[in-house]
């Protein structure tokens, strides 16, 4: 009952005061929205990530389809898996400026690694195409930073990217590291104090949904690409070895069968039966291996989809609880605000109506006393 009264009383007071055009009030949750520049930076950085992921995936698919070499195909698939994974980690960060910095740094490191490593470690004769793609992405990331930042801030970020050491490795593995602390310390060393805002509840909720959706999409794509990688490895390693062993065994049996048929024609039927069994065993082994591989991939995909759905529902529930708590907190402050407002209205009415009445009453008594003094004074009228 008390909760109902606390909700109805502010609504009734608001309805009673709607006729007064001079009386307006609003409820502030105490949150500061992100500046338009940071919102634009977040949107443009994430848009650049989607273009980067599409460009890398198309380049890697072109290399894998054009190369007959299985190691080159596997390196191309690993390239798009690692590049998109590192890209979504860098671009989907909460702080727009750090997301832009890490995305640019990722493109710079990828371009540096492709320029440093030999063709034999990368993609063989198709390496120049990959180098061209990485160099173009680095230039586009720098141009994006120049268009979004002030000239002074861009100069600092460009110097930070140039001075940031790259991870030296003997392969083309692509990784992304979070540079939030390093960037803040770098700005402080240059006399700049930074303070990043979180944003309103609606902005935080939209940001969480965007980040979770992008990471889920990248995870699903990585699962499909990992399946292609496993298929290449499966064809190259296990099936080839087992098939070679079976063919060697069949060749030995066939030679033995030819020798037996030449010497003892009456044993032909028995040898042919053994040959048929070996052929059936070979076919069964190949079918079982392929079925097991694809069934394992299907189970992993279903588990990942269930995990993603559960995490999405939990995230939506947490966001809904945060919104409900903020709205409930605002409604809890309404009765106190209305009470203070009514107190000031009553005080204003008392001052505006009571003060003239008291002043008139006091003036009337003063005039009455003056009149009586005149009447009672010597020489006055009686």
């Amino acid at each position: 009952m008390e909760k109902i009264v606390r909700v109805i009383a502010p609504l009734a007071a608001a309805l009673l005061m709607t006729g007064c055009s001079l009386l307006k009030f609003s409820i502030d949750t105490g949150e500061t929205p992100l500046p338009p520049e940071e919102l634009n930076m977040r949107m443009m950085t994430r848009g650049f990530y989607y273009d980067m992921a599409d460009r890398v995936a198309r380049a890697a698919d072109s290399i894998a389809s054009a190369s007959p070499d299985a190691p080159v195909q596997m390196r191309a698939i690993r390239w798009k898996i690692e590049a998109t994974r590192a890209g979504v980690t860098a671009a989907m960060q909460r702080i727009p400026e750090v997301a832009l910095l890490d995305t640019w740094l990722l493109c710079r490191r990828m371009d540096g690694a492709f320029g440093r490593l030999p063709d034999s470690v990368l993609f063989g004769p198709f390496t120049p195409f990959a180098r061209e793609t990485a160099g173009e992405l680095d230039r586009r990331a720098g141009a994006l930073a120049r268009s979004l930042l002030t000239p002074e801030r861009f100069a600092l970020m460009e110097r930070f990217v140039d001075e940031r050491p790259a991870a030296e490795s003997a392969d083309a593995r692509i990784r992304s590291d979070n540079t939030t602390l390093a960037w803040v310390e770098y700005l402080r060393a240059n006399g700049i104090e930074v303070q990043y805002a979180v944003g309103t509840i609606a902005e935080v909720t939209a940001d969480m949904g965007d980040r979770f959706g992008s990471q889920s999409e990248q995870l699903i794509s990585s699962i499909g690409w990992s399946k292609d990688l496993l298929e290449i490895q499966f064809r190259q390693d296990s099936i080839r070895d087992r098939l070679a062993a079976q063919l060697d065994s069949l060749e030995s049996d066939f030679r033995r069968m030819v020798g037996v048929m030449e010497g003892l024609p009456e044993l032909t039927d028995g040898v042919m039966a053994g040959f048929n069994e070996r052929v059936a065993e070979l076919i069964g082994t190949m079918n079982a291996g392929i079925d097991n591989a694809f069934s394992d991939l299907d189970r992993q995909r279903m588990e990942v989809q269930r995990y993603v759905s559960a995490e999405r529902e939990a995230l939506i529930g947490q966001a809904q609880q945060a919104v409900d708590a903020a709205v409930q907190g605002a409604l809890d402050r309404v009765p106190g605000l209305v009470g203070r407002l009514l107190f000031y209205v009553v005080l204003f009415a008392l001052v505006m109506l009571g003060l003239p009445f008291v002043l008139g009453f006091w003036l009337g008594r003063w005039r009455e006393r003056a009149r009586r003094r005149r009447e009672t004074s010597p020489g006055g009228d009686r």
Side-chain angles (χ1 to χ4, degrees), residues 97 101 151-161 163 181-194:
E97 188 178 43
L101 171 62
E152 296 78 8
R153 199 68 157 226
F154 172 75
L156 287 174
M157 184 175 290
E158 185 178 26
R159 192 161 64 246
F160 181 85
V161 172
E163 296 174 357
L181 181 59
W183 175 241
V184 171
E185 292 178 349
Y186 187 79
L187 292 177
R188 288 178 178 173
N190 288 273
I192 300 176
E193 289 292 335
V194 294

mmCIF file of all heavy atoms in Angstrom, residues 97 101 151-161 163 181-194:
data_model
loop_
_atom_site.group_PDB
_atom_site.id
_atom_site.type_symbol
_atom_site.label_atom_id
_atom_site.label_comp_id
_atom_site.label_asym_id
_atom_site.label_seq_id
_atom_site.Cartn_x
_atom_site.Cartn_y
_atom_site.Cartn_z
ATOM 1 N N GLU A 97 38.687 6.210 -28.377
ATOM 2 C CA GLU A 97 40.023 6.636 -28.791
ATOM 3 C C GLU A 97 41.011 5.479 -28.715
ATOM 4 O O GLU A 97 41.850 5.291 -29.605
ATOM 5 C CB GLU A 97 40.490 7.799 -27.924
ATOM 6 C CG GLU A 97 41.781 8.440 -28.404
ATOM 7 C CD GLU A 97 42.186 9.632 -27.542
ATOM 8 O OE1 GLU A 97 42.081 9.527 -26.298
ATOM 9 O OE2 GLU A 97 42.585 10.649 -28.115
ATOM 10 N N LEU A 101 43.151 3.628 -31.720
ATOM 11 C CA LEU A 101 44.599 3.447 -31.616
ATOM 12 C C LEU A 101 44.990 1.988 -31.809
ATOM 13 O O LEU A 101 45.909 1.667 -32.579
ATOM 14 C CB LEU A 101 45.073 3.955 -30.250
ATOM 15 C CG LEU A 101 46.535 3.647 -29.869
ATOM 16 C CD1 LEU A 101 47.491 4.296 -30.850
ATOM 17 C CD2 LEU A 101 46.815 4.103 -28.452
ATOM 18 N N PRO A 151 44.536 17.961 -35.003
ATOM 19 C CA PRO A 151 45.926 17.828 -35.490
ATOM 20 C C PRO A 151 46.925 17.519 -34.388
ATOM 21 O O PRO A 151 47.840 16.701 -34.582
ATOM 22 C CB PRO A 151 46.193 19.196 -36.135
ATOM 23 C CG PRO A 151 44.847 19.695 -36.538
ATOM 24 C CD PRO A 151 43.897 19.200 -35.487
ATOM 25 N N GLU A 152 46.751 18.128 -33.194
ATOM 26 C CA GLU A 152 47.686 17.863 -32.102
ATOM 27 C C GLU A 152 47.555 16.423 -31.606
ATOM 28 O O GLU A 152 48.536 15.723 -31.373
ATOM 29 C CB GLU A 152 47.458 18.846 -30.960
ATOM 30 C CG GLU A 152 47.729 20.310 -31.311
ATOM 31 C CD GLU A 152 46.594 20.935 -32.098
ATOM 32 O OE1 GLU A 152 45.538 20.272 -32.227
ATOM 33 O OE2 GLU A 152 46.765 22.066 -32.599
ATOM 34 N N ARG A 153 46.293 15.965 -31.438
ATOM 35 C CA ARG A 153 46.074 14.589 -30.944
ATOM 36 C C ARG A 153 46.537 13.566 -31.977
ATOM 37 O O ARG A 153 47.094 12.519 -31.623
ATOM 38 C CB ARG A 153 44.595 14.410 -30.627
ATOM 39 C CG ARG A 153 44.270 13.258 -29.711
ATOM 40 C CD ARG A 153 44.780 13.473 -28.310
ATOM 41 N NE ARG A 153 44.041 12.679 -27.344
ATOM 42 C CZ ARG A 153 43.595 13.143 -26.209
ATOM 43 N NH1 ARG A 153 43.824 14.411 -25.886
ATOM 44 N NH2 ARG A 153 42.940 12.375 -25.367
ATOM 45 N N PHE A 154 46.314 13.855 -33.257
ATOM 46 C CA PHE A 154 46.755 12.917 -34.297
ATOM 47 C C PHE A 154 48.275 12.811 -34.323
ATOM 48 O O PHE A 154 48.830 11.722 -34.519
ATOM 49 C CB PHE A 154 46.235 13.364 -35.656
ATOM 50 C CG PHE A 154 46.799 12.575 -36.800
ATOM 51 C CD1 PHE A 154 46.356 11.283 -37.064
ATOM 52 C CD2 PHE A 154 47.793 13.106 -37.613
ATOM 53 C CE1 PHE A 154 46.892 10.546 -38.107
ATOM 54 C CE2 PHE A 154 48.323 12.377 -38.652
ATOM 55 C CZ PHE A 154 47.870 11.102 -38.902
ATOM 56 N N ALA A 155 48.972 13.946 -34.139
ATOM 57 C CA ALA A 155 50.430 13.903 -34.127
ATOM 58 C C ALA A 155 50.952 13.032 -32.988
ATOM 59 O O ALA A 155 51.889 12.233 -33.163
ATOM 60 C CB ALA A 155 50.992 15.321 -34.020
ATOM 61 N N LEU A 156 50.304 13.127 -31.815
ATOM 62 C CA LEU A 156 50.711 12.291 -30.690
ATOM 63 C C LEU A 156 50.440 10.813 -30.976
ATOM 64 O O LEU A 156 51.270 9.940 -30.705
ATOM 65 C CB LEU A 156 49.971 12.731 -29.428
ATOM 66 C CG LEU A 156 50.413 14.049 -28.792
ATOM 67 C CD1 LEU A 156 49.492 14.413 -27.628
ATOM 68 C CD2 LEU A 156 51.854 13.969 -28.308
ATOM 69 N N MET A 157 49.263 10.498 -31.538
ATOM 70 C CA MET A 157 48.931 9.099 -31.816
ATOM 71 C C MET A 157 49.839 8.526 -32.893
ATOM 72 O O MET A 157 50.273 7.364 -32.807
ATOM 73 C CB MET A 157 47.458 8.971 -32.219
ATOM 74 C CG MET A 157 46.999 7.542 -32.426
ATOM 75 S SD MET A 157 45.229 7.351 -32.749
ATOM 76 C CE MET A 157 44.545 7.768 -31.153
ATOM 77 N N GLU A 158 50.151 9.315 -33.917
ATOM 78 C CA GLU A 158 51.038 8.826 -34.970
ATOM 79 C C GLU A 158 52.429 8.542 -34.411
ATOM 80 O O GLU A 158 53.047 7.511 -34.750
ATOM 81 C CB GLU A 158 51.117 9.858 -36.085
ATOM 82 C CG GLU A 158 51.916 9.402 -37.291
ATOM 83 C CD GLU A 158 51.922 10.441 -38.394
ATOM 84 O OE1 GLU A 158 51.754 11.641 -38.076
ATOM 85 O OE2 GLU A 158 52.097 10.064 -39.557
ATOM 86 N N ARG A 159 52.926 9.407 -33.538
ATOM 87 C CA ARG A 159 54.228 9.171 -32.937
ATOM 88 C C ARG A 159 54.191 7.941 -32.025
ATOM 89 O O ARG A 159 55.147 7.160 -31.981
ATOM 90 C CB ARG A 159 54.666 10.413 -32.152
ATOM 91 C CG ARG A 159 56.122 10.365 -31.728
ATOM 92 C CD ARG A 159 56.681 11.724 -31.387
ATOM 93 N NE ARG A 159 56.013 12.316 -30.228
ATOM 94 C CZ ARG A 159 55.260 13.411 -30.268
ATOM 95 N NH1 ARG A 159 55.057 14.030 -31.424
ATOM 96 N NH2 ARG A 159 54.699 13.894 -29.182
ATOM 97 N N PHE A 160 53.081 7.742 -31.322
ATOM 98 C CA PHE A 160 52.949 6.561 -30.456
ATOM 99 C C PHE A 160 52.954 5.278 -31.288
ATOM 100 O O PHE A 160 53.601 4.289 -30.922
ATOM 101 C CB PHE A 160 51.651 6.668 -29.654
ATOM 102 C CG PHE A 160 51.405 5.531 -28.716
ATOM 103 C CD1 PHE A 160 51.940 5.515 -27.433
ATOM 104 C CD2 PHE A 160 50.629 4.438 -29.110
ATOM 105 C CE1 PHE A 160 51.720 4.455 -26.576
ATOM 106 C CE2 PHE A 160 50.402 3.378 -28.256
ATOM 107 C CZ PHE A 160 50.948 3.396 -26.986
ATOM 108 N N VAL A 161 52.241 5.275 -32.416
ATOM 109 C CA VAL A 161 52.201 4.088 -33.276
ATOM 110 C C VAL A 161 53.573 3.821 -33.873
ATOM 111 O O VAL A 161 54.007 2.658 -33.982
ATOM 112 C CB VAL A 161 51.140 4.274 -34.379
ATOM 113 C CG1 VAL A 161 51.226 3.140 -35.402
ATOM 114 C CG2 VAL A 161 49.744 4.305 -33.766
ATOM 115 N N GLU A 163 56.486 4.625 -32.556
ATOM 116 C CA GLU A 163 57.447 4.250 -31.523
ATOM 117 C C GLU A 163 57.095 2.935 -30.838
ATOM 118 O O GLU A 163 57.945 2.359 -30.154
ATOM 119 C CB GLU A 163 57.532 5.349 -30.463
ATOM 120 C CG GLU A 163 58.071 6.663 -30.988
ATOM 121 C CD GLU A 163 58.003 7.767 -29.950
ATOM 122 O OE1 GLU A 163 57.472 7.495 -28.849
ATOM 123 O OE2 GLU A 163 58.477 8.886 -30.233
ATOM 124 N N LEU A 181 46.499 1.616 -20.810
ATOM 125 C CA LEU A 181 47.403 2.177 -19.806
ATOM 126 C C LEU A 181 48.602 2.863 -20.465
ATOM 127 O O LEU A 181 49.004 3.966 -20.058
ATOM 128 C CB LEU A 181 47.878 1.071 -18.856
ATOM 129 C CG LEU A 181 48.825 1.510 -17.723
ATOM 130 C CD1 LEU A 181 48.159 2.561 -16.848
ATOM 131 C CD2 LEU A 181 49.242 0.304 -16.892
ATOM 132 N N ALA A 182 49.175 2.244 -21.488
ATOM 133 C CA ALA A 182 50.327 2.845 -22.164
ATOM 134 C C ALA A 182 49.952 4.169 -22.829
ATOM 135 O O ALA A 182 50.721 5.138 -22.794
ATOM 136 C CB ALA A 182 50.892 1.870 -23.201
ATOM 137 N N TRP A 183 48.759 4.252 -23.421
ATOM 138 C CA TRP A 183 48.326 5.487 -24.083
ATOM 139 C C TRP A 183 48.074 6.596 -23.075
ATOM 140 O O TRP A 183 48.450 7.752 -23.303
ATOM 141 C CB TRP A 183 47.094 5.211 -24.914
ATOM 142 C CG TRP A 183 46.467 6.402 -25.557
ATOM 143 C CD1 TRP A 183 45.213 6.879 -25.368
ATOM 144 C CD2 TRP A 183 47.059 7.278 -26.536
ATOM 145 N NE1 TRP A 183 44.977 7.986 -26.136
ATOM 146 C CE2 TRP A 183 46.105 8.258 -26.878
ATOM 147 C CE3 TRP A 183 48.306 7.337 -27.140
ATOM 148 C CZ2 TRP A 183 46.355 9.278 -27.791
ATOM 149 C CZ3 TRP A 183 48.547 8.352 -28.062
ATOM 150 C CH2 TRP A 183 47.594 9.301 -28.370
ATOM 151 N N VAL A 184 47.431 6.268 -21.942
ATOM 152 C CA VAL A 184 47.179 7.282 -20.909
ATOM 153 C C VAL A 184 48.498 7.804 -20.344
ATOM 154 O O VAL A 184 48.676 9.015 -20.144
ATOM 155 C CB VAL A 184 46.284 6.694 -19.806
ATOM 156 C CG1 VAL A 184 46.184 7.658 -18.621
ATOM 157 C CG2 VAL A 184 44.892 6.403 -20.344
ATOM 158 N N GLU A 185 49.432 6.900 -20.065
ATOM 159 C CA GLU A 185 50.736 7.339 -19.563
ATOM 160 C C GLU A 185 51.484 8.171 -20.601
ATOM 161 O O GLU A 185 52.181 9.135 -20.251
ATOM 162 C CB GLU A 185 51.564 6.115 -19.171
ATOM 163 C CG GLU A 185 51.016 5.374 -17.948
ATOM 164 C CD GLU A 185 51.835 4.141 -17.624
ATOM 165 O OE1 GLU A 185 52.680 3.759 -18.473
ATOM 166 O OE2 GLU A 185 51.616 3.558 -16.544
ATOM 167 N N TYR A 186 51.345 7.828 -21.873
ATOM 168 C CA TYR A 186 52.000 8.599 -22.926
ATOM 169 C C TYR A 186 51.427 10.017 -23.002
ATOM 170 O O TYR A 186 52.167 10.998 -23.168
ATOM 171 C CB TYR A 186 51.815 7.876 -24.267
ATOM 172 C CG TYR A 186 52.582 8.476 -25.410
ATOM 173 C CD1 TYR A 186 53.940 8.226 -25.577
ATOM 174 C CD2 TYR A 186 51.940 9.291 -26.340
ATOM 175 C CE1 TYR A 186 54.647 8.782 -26.634
ATOM 176 C CE2 TYR A 186 52.636 9.847 -27.402
ATOM 177 C CZ TYR A 186 53.994 9.582 -27.549
ATOM 178 O OH TYR A 186 54.680 10.139 -28.590
ATOM 179 N N LEU A 187 50.089 10.146 -22.866
ATOM 180 C CA LEU A 187 49.476 11.468 -22.886
ATOM 181 C C LEU A 187 49.899 12.283 -21.664
ATOM 182 O O LEU A 187 50.155 13.489 -21.767
ATOM 183 C CB LEU A 187 47.951 11.333 -22.928
ATOM 184 C CG LEU A 187 47.358 10.763 -24.224
ATOM 185 C CD1 LEU A 187 45.854 10.625 -24.105
ATOM 186 C CD2 LEU A 187 47.706 11.646 -25.420
ATOM 187 N N ARG A 188 49.961 11.645 -20.495
ATOM 188 C CA ARG A 188 50.390 12.371 -19.299
ATOM 189 C C ARG A 188 51.842 12.823 -19.419
ATOM 190 O O ARG A 188 52.202 13.908 -18.937
ATOM 191 C CB ARG A 188 50.212 11.481 -18.071
ATOM 192 C CG ARG A 188 48.755 11.276 -17.668
ATOM 193 C CD ARG A 188 48.640 10.356 -16.479
ATOM 194 N NE ARG A 188 47.246 10.194 -16.066
ATOM 195 C CZ ARG A 188 46.831 9.342 -15.125
ATOM 196 N NH1 ARG A 188 47.725 8.574 -14.500
ATOM 197 N NH2 ARG A 188 45.553 9.262 -14.813
ATOM 198 N N ALA A 189 52.668 11.988 -20.041
ATOM 199 C CA ALA A 189 54.061 12.388 -20.232
ATOM 200 C C ALA A 189 54.173 13.613 -21.138
ATOM 201 O O ALA A 189 55.155 14.366 -21.054
ATOM 202 C CB ALA A 189 54.863 11.235 -20.818
ATOM 203 N N ASN A 190 53.162 13.820 -21.988
ATOM 204 C CA ASN A 190 53.140 14.988 -22.858
ATOM 205 C C ASN A 190 52.273 16.111 -22.302
ATOM 206 O O ASN A 190 51.883 17.021 -23.040
ATOM 207 C CB ASN A 190 52.644 14.599 -24.251
ATOM 208 C CG ASN A 190 53.659 13.795 -25.031
ATOM 209 O OD1 ASN A 190 54.517 14.339 -25.709
ATOM 210 N ND2 ASN A 190 53.573 12.468 -24.916
ATOM 211 N N GLY A 191 51.938 16.041 -20.998
ATOM 212 C CA GLY A 191 51.210 17.116 -20.339
ATOM 213 C C GLY A 191 49.725 17.133 -20.586
ATOM 214 O O GLY A 191 49.090 18.190 -20.466
ATOM 215 N N ILE A 192 49.120 16.005 -20.913
ATOM 216 C CA ILE A 192 47.682 15.941 -21.193
ATOM 217 C C ILE A 192 47.043 14.985 -20.198
ATOM 218 O O ILE A 192 47.430 13.812 -20.116
ATOM 219 C CB ILE A 192 47.412 15.469 -22.636
ATOM 220 C CG1 ILE A 192 48.049 16.430 -23.637
ATOM 221 C CG2 ILE A 192 45.906 15.351 -22.890
ATOM 222 C CD1 ILE A 192 47.916 15.986 -25.075
ATOM 223 N N GLU A 193 46.070 15.486 -19.438
ATOM 224 C CA GLU A 193 45.294 14.658 -18.528
ATOM 225 C C GLU A 193 43.997 14.252 -19.227
ATOM 226 O O GLU A 193 43.295 15.097 -19.793
ATOM 227 C CB GLU A 193 44.971 15.415 -17.238
ATOM 228 C CG GLU A 193 46.173 15.640 -16.344
ATOM 229 C CD GLU A 193 46.691 14.331 -15.742
ATOM 230 O OE1 GLU A 193 45.897 13.382 -15.612
ATOM 231 O OE2 GLU A 193 47.888 14.262 -15.415
ATOM 232 N N VAL A 194 43.700 12.977 -19.204
ATOM 233 C CA VAL A 194 42.523 12.466 -19.920
ATOM 234 C C VAL A 194 41.518 11.924 -18.921
ATOM 235 O O VAL A 194 41.869 11.453 -17.831
ATOM 236 C CB VAL A 194 42.923 11.363 -20.926
ATOM 237 C CG1 VAL A 194 43.765 11.936 -22.028
ATOM 238 C CG2 VAL A 194 43.649 10.230 -20.219
#
